[in-house]
Amino acid sequence: MSDVLNIDAILSAGLVDRVIYRQCVSSTNDLARELAATACRQECWLLVAEQQTAGRGRGDNRWWTGEGSLAFSLLVDPEHLGIHGPRLPMVSLAAAVAVVEASQPLVSGWKVGLHWPNDVYACGRKLAGILTEVLPDGRLIVGIGVNVNNRREQAPAEVAHRVCSLSELAGRPLDRTRVLAGIIAAQRGCWRTLAAEAGALAVRADALCLQHGQSLCIEAGGRRSEGVCRGIAEDGGLMLETAHGLRRFYSGVLV
Ligand code: BTN
């Protein structure tokens, strides 16, 4: 059984005006999309569920929502947060920085960091993932899945060797309310930094990038590019030193 989430404590972290809690949904991103029309544009809504029957990842990926994990989506208007133009594509990166910075103190002794484009890793395994979707009216749905108290042994065989959880690293079960409230508070701070000084957010992301010096192959726009990772640029792009020089990537998949 998962510990019960304390909605008031989550609201007190700031950023979120309303919490919608469900036991089981297809995907919290889908729920956010369904309810978006009923949300006031200036409000930030948090949609959180214990189970997802069709949790989605980027591309064609599925997301395993193990018992004791956190699966939630933030429905936000980036304009209302002061995030415009070239800073918009950095919203997901800022969300990943928030998850890393909120998670790191919970698992001292382990390094938590970023895997491009916005995965959160520790000990070579995935701790959290982010799926950001844009609504026709420009609002964003930022879906975040975090492995908290879920157990790797219960994961489907195809993902079990690729994931880790905060409780596994901490060596004890964690209070999910504190984890979620910590992420929301960190998220508020990261989006504020992005709005005010995007370069400062990129510097933090670069410091957290775990792929510095690694050889990467990125598929973007139907083309593959290989090179050595040189971290995150001031505009949020991934810098890859290729045979044709230093190139920046803003989208794509690692292959
Ligand atoms: C990825 O790793 O590719 C992104 C995973 C994102 C998973 C979260 S869980 C909450 C929200 N609902 C979804 O269906 N997906 C996101």
Side-chain angles (χ1 to χ4, degrees):
M1 263 274 287
S2 301
D3 56 327
V4 176
L5 289 173
N6 178 334
I7 305 298
D8 289 338
I10 292 163
L11 282 167
S12 69
L15 181 69
V16 170
D17 298 293
R18 180 160 177 200
V19 179
I20 309 273
Y21 174 83
R22 295 275 197 277
Q23 195 59 38
C24 185
V25 295
S26 57
S27 150
T28 55
N29 273 30
D30 293 345
L31 181 64
R33 197 176 282 271
E34 280 160 34
L35 297 183
T38 63
C40 188
R41 207 186 157 95
Q42 302 90 306
E43 287 184 347
C44 174
W45 282 21
L46 171 70
L47 305 104
V48 55
E50 293 296 343
Q51 293 171 47
Q52 298 186 116
T53 53
R56 295 184 279 114
R58 289 188 311 278
D60 294 333
N61 295 341
R62 285 184 299 168
W63 179 258
W64 167 61
T65 313
E67 186 180 337
S69 67
L70 282 170
F72 58 95
S73 300
L74 289 161
L75 172 66
V76 284
D77 177 10
E79 291 281 335
H80 185 67
L81 298 172
I83 301 170
H84 324 271
R87 293 173 181 192
L88 278 172
M90 291 174 72
V91 164
S92 301
L93 184 67
V97 170
V99 175
V100 173
E101 292 183 348
S103 300
Q104 184 62 78
L106 305 171
V107 295
S108 51
W110 297 96
K111 172 134 178 70
V112 183
L114 296 177
H115 260 214
W116 188 83
N118 43 50
D119 288 336
V120 176
Y121 267 65
C123 62
R125 295 201 172 106
K126 189 154 163 171
L127 198 56
I130 294 165
L131 173 66
T132 298
E133 296 174 319
V134 187
L135 290 175
D137 66 6
R139 281 181 295 170
L140 300 177
I141 297 169
V142 182
I144 304 180
V146 188
N147 296 318
V148 183
N149 293 323
N150 44 325
R151 298 164 62 88
R152 209 173 344 148
E153 308 86 83
Q154 292 165 347
E158 65 272 20
V159 295
H161 61 289
R162 292 192 271 120
V163 297
C164 67
S165 68
L166 287 171
S167 64
E168 190 185 334
L169 301 178
R172 63 187 168 85
L174 295 170
D175 176 344
R176 289 185 312 147
T177 297
R178 287 185 63 182
V179 176
L180 181 50
I183 292 172
I184 298 294
Q187 187 59 88
R188 183 174 180 233
C190 284
W191 280 341
R192 278 188 174 175
T193 305
L194 176 58
E197 206 186 344
L201 194 276
V203 166
R204 271 155 70 184
D206 182 52
L208 296 170
C209 174
L210 296 170
Q211 293 157 305
H212 275 273
Q214 288 182 11
S215 293
L216 302 179
C217 180
I218 294 176
E219 198 168 86
R223 291 184 55 191
R224 285 190 175 195
S225 305
E226 287 179 9
V228 177
C229 173
R230 296 298 179 210
I232 308 292
E234 75 287 348
D235 60 358
L238 177 88
M239 293 187 288
L240 205 61
E241 196 174 298
T242 71
H244 310 288
L246 195 61
R247 292 188 54 201
R248 289 186 188 185
F249 292 84
Y250 301 92
S251 62
V253 287
L254 289 176
V255 288

